[in-house]
Amino acid sequence: QVLPEAHSTMEIDAVVQRVIGQVLGDWPYREELADAWCEQILERSLTQIASMGRPFKYIGTCVVSRQTGSMLDTAATAFWDTQSDSLCCTRRGTGGLVDCIVTIYCCRR
């Protein structure tokens, strides 16, 4: 049996970018919606990535914040099998309104 290839960063990034666009659109930041936006972005992204049928477990994080002109720094790291596991960190700003940073970890089962 041949195992499917690992996910490429570009493949994951494309899914996450599309989902962020669907969820956030051009909405201005609204604090009361931030939790729901994060949940929707992670749920849709992970569902679409998992539907690719690859033998991976997935973990996702999402940060949604108001763009204020100040810096928002994040970091992600993992100790794992670099031959099969990967992560993708996707950032999208919405024209001075909302920052969104999503990190997806893909770990072979």
Side-chain angles (χ1 to χ4, degrees):
Q1 176 180 355
V2 177
L3 293 176
E5 296 179 23
H7 290 288
S8 75
T9 302
M10 290 180 1
E11 180 178 42
I12 300 296
D13 184 70
V15 169
V16 174
Q17 286 284 356
R18 184 173 53 253
V19 169
I20 292 171
Q22 292 168 351
V23 172
L24 296 182
D26 293 325
W27 287 93
Y29 180 82
R30 293 183 52 195
E31 185 176 353
E32 69 273 12
L33 295 178
D35 286 342
W37 285 338
C38 285
E39 288 176 21
Q40 290 174 30
I41 289 166
L42 286 174
E43 177 68 27
R44 292 181 191 184
S45 295
L46 292 174
T47 298
Q48 290 180 30
I49 293 165
S51 74
M52 294 176 186
R54 306 240 174 96
F56 289 88
K57 297 177 280 185
Y58 303 98
I59 302 165
T61 65
C62 181
V63 176
V64 171
S65 67
R66 179 188 324 264
Q67 286 183 339
T68 61
S70 61
M71 297 298 295
L72 174 62
D73 294 318
T74 66
T77 189
F79 181 73
W80 58 18
D81 183 348
T82 58
Q83 298 300 310
S84 62
D85 302 333
S86 63
L87 70 83
C88 176
C89 187
T90 300
R91 178 183 181 271
R92 177 180 180 259
T94 56
L97 302 173
V98 181
D99 256 332
C100 182
I101 300 172
V102 176
T103 304
I104 303 293
Y105 300 83
C106 307
C107 304
R108 189 174 292 278
R109 293 182 188 174

